[in-house]
Amino acid sequence: MVTPSLESQYVTFSLGEEVFAVPVEVVREILDYEEAFKIPNGPDYLLGLRDVRGQGVPTIDLRLKLGLSKTIPTSHTRVLVMDVPLESRMLCLGLVADRVFEVTPFRKDQVEAAPDIGVRWRSGYIAGVVRREGGFVVIIDLASLLSREETALLTLPGAAA
């Protein structure tokens, strides 16, 4: 009898002092930061396109998307190239992180729900929170973070789905 896995693997990264994570299975590769080709009239968080193995990949500044200050690139800045599962297709997306740390396992019993702070706030993109070494790691659900209009904007005509 096969038992379901009691833990999952995550790629951890930082935005400023905060630590976030995404499931390892959505991360295609991690690249050094390079300036993206700018796209006119895009939202502020859309940095532009990045050529990844012959494919134009929309690249976003997650700091701006989450309401934080703009990323100031350093030698530690990386781009996580991810395949984000949407309702009917896969969206290839570059996500800028201040620093990528490691792939780490979290047990299912370690993952807590997004905190209730007593008021309404947009927390639907938080897949869970893990307590770790005196701090927290926020697990992000990228499909929930991006609205339908945003995913349509980030999909290039003729791009592989």
Side-chain angles (χ1 to χ4, degrees):
M1 181 168 111
V2 176
T3 58
S5 175
L6 298 177
E7 68 180 26
S8 297
Q9 300 281 323
Y10 293 88
V11 176
T12 57
F13 60 93
S14 70
L15 301 176
E17 299 299 314
E18 311 309 323
V19 179
F20 296 86
V22 292
V24 73
E25 53 273 357
V26 302
V27 179
R28 185 187 298 178
E29 57 189 304
I30 300 170
L31 304 172
D32 290 339
Y33 178 83
E34 291 178 3
E35 288 292 323
F37 175 81
K38 305 287 187 258
I39 298 178
N41 301 318
D44 291 343
Y45 63 84
L46 176 60
L47 297 176
L49 293 178
R50 168 99 188 246
D51 180 22
V52 178
R53 304 187 195 294
Q55 179 183 5
V57 175
T59 302
I60 67 169
D61 185 338
L62 186 58
R63 291 175 63 96
L64 287 177
K65 180 65 181 147
L66 294 177
L68 303 171
S69 62
K70 179 178 173 51
T71 296
I72 306 296
T74 69
S75 61
H76 300 290
T77 305
R78 298 290 181 265
V79 176
L80 289 90
V81 179
M82 299 189 281
D83 291 318
V84 181
L86 301 175
E87 288 177 14
S88 60
R89 61 190 167 78
M90 199 66 78
L91 173 66
C92 184
L93 185 66
L95 181 86
V96 175
D98 292 337
R99 180 182 293 245
V100 174
F101 294 117
E102 63 185 345
V103 173
T104 189
F106 294 136
R107 291 186 328 271
K108 293 198 185 313
D109 64 353
Q110 288 179 286
V111 180
E112 303 172 16
D116 179 0
I117 61 171
V119 296
R120 290 187 57 170
W121 64 295
R122 189 169 178 236
S123 64
Y125 68 91
I126 299 176
V129 178
V130 177
R131 294 174 192 265
R132 187 170 142 191
E133 299 165 16
F136 295 92
V137 177
V138 175
I139 300 172
I140 297 178
D141 176 353
L142 287 168
S144 297
L145 180 63
L146 301 169
S147 70
R148 279 199 176 126
E149 293 79 19
E150 290 170 323
T151 58
L153 173 74
L154 294 171
T155 301
L156 302 173

